Amino acid sequence: MLSLSDHRAARLAALTAPDGWLNLVARIDLAPGRHLVGAGQEVRLSSGPDLLGTLDLSEAGATFARPGEAPQPFQPVPDAFPQLRVDPFLLEIHTVDGSPALRVRDLTLRPTATLRHFPDAPAWTIRARWEKIEAQPTEITMKDGSKAEVSLTHRASFLHDGQAFTLTPTHWKSGKPMFVFRDRTAGETYPACRFLFGEDPDDREITLDFNRAISPPCAFTDFAVCPLPPPGNILPFRIEAGELAP
C-alpha cells in the first residue's frame, strides 16, 4: 500500500492527467447509429473543427472516422470506458445502465488542482471485519437522478464509539472494493458523497483508511455521473479524515 503522501500525489496526478476529470468539456447522450461530430454538427462540440468526423455506435462497439480516413475502433481501457484519441480531443464512450454517451476531453487544456484535507488522523485507519455475502442485485441512485444496477457481494463492519456499523461496497476498481459513503462532515466534504477504496483484504479483515477518502468525479465536473451512497452507507457521525470539498 502506498504511503499517504504518495497516495495523494498519485491522486493529484490522476486528476490532472489527459484522461483525468479536469479537462472534460462535454458529455452527450447518444443513440445507436451514425453521428456527425464537430462544432457545427448534430453532435455539437464547443470547439474544434466544424466536422471532426463520423462516429458509428452499435452493440458491437464504436468507431470514429476523420473526414477522408478509415474508421478507427475505440480501444478498451482497464477500469474505464473505451477511448480513442482524435486530436485535439480524447473521446470516450461512457455507458451507464445501458445508455451510452460521448464524453469529450480537451487535450489542449492543462488543468491544475489544489486538494485540501483534514489533518492526518491515525485513529481513522481501521482494520474492519470483511465478509463475503450472497450476491444481492441492487438498484442505486446516481447523482443525476438516474438508476444503475449493481451486485452487492461483500460488507465491512467496524465499531465506532462502541456501536457497530457496516459499509457495503457497490463498485470495484483495480480489484479493490469501492465504498460510496456520506457522513456528518458533508458540506465541509463534498455534500453528495465520498469514495473510499478498501486495502489489504484477507478472508476475514480489510483496512478502511478514511485518510484516503476522496471526493467523487462529480465534485470536479458536471460531465461525470456519480453514484450516491446506498442507505446503509450514510453514517450518523463525523469522519474528520480524508479530502475536503474541492
Side-chain angles (χ1 to χ4, degrees):
M1 185 165 63
L2 292 175
S3 69
L4 185 56
S5 60
D6 287 345
H7 162 80
R8 289 176 176 170
R11 160 79 170 151
L12 184 59
L15 275 174
T16 57
D19 61 349
W21 294 108
L22 302 186
N23 61 353
L24 272 172
V25 294
R27 183 184 184 276
I28 304 165
D29 290 329
L30 296 174
R34 177 166 291 182
H35 304 275
L36 298 179
V37 180
Q41 305 302 322
E42 54 172 316
V43 178
R44 186 178 298 276
L45 306 181
S46 60
S47 62
D50 181 77
L51 176 61
L52 184 68
T54 303
L55 171 68
D56 276 293
L57 179 65
S58 69
E59 292 184 0
T63 64
F64 193 91
R66 283 185 176 276
E69 298 182 7
Q72 300 295 317
F74 282 68
Q75 299 297 320
V77 178
D79 294 317
F81 293 90
Q83 295 178 352
L84 183 66
R85 179 165 178 157
V86 182
D87 287 334
F89 303 110
L90 180 65
L91 306 181
E92 180 180 74
I93 302 299
H94 180 232
T95 303
V96 176
D97 206 26
S99 299
L102 177 68
R103 282 205 297 216
V104 183
R105 290 176 167 88
D106 186 341
L107 299 177
T108 68
L109 301 179
R110 296 292 182 266
T112 60
T114 299
L115 298 178
R116 304 179 303 125
H117 305 85
F118 284 106
D120 295 355
W124 281 113
T125 302
I126 298 169
R127 193 68 179 165
R129 183 181 178 189
W130 183 234
E131 299 176 274
K132 186 174 183 179
I133 60 176
E134 184 175 349
Q136 301 176 8
T138 301
E139 187 178 74
I140 61 171
T141 302
M142 310 297 283
K143 189 172 180 291
D144 66 353
S146 63
K147 305 290 185 179
E149 292 287 336
V150 298
S151 181
L152 307 182
T153 60
H154 291 74
R155 62 189 175 199
S157 303
F158 62 96
L159 293 177
H160 176 70
D161 287 345
Q163 186 175 351
F165 293 92
T166 298
L167 291 177
T168 304
T170 51
H171 300 75
W172 295 71
K173 186 173 181 179
S174 299
K176 294 181 179 182
M178 188 180 89
F179 301 87
V180 183
F181 75 98
R182 186 187 310 139
D183 66 276
R184 288 287 181 88
T185 67
E188 300 161 68
T189 56
Y190 185 65
C193 64
R194 287 190 284 171
F195 291 174
L196 177 66
F197 292 92
E199 304 278 356
D200 298 333
D202 59 28
D203 290 340
R204 298 179 62 186
E205 295 183 321
I206 191 170
T207 296
L208 305 179
D209 185 355
F210 288 95
N211 294 282
R212 299 167 188 258
I214 61 174
S215 301
C218 51
F220 299 93
T221 174
D222 292 336
F223 301 119
V225 181
C226 297
L228 296 177
N233 286 12
I234 299 175
L235 301 173
F237 50 84
R238 291 175 62 83
I239 299 179
E240 295 181 4
E243 278 185 23
L244 293 160

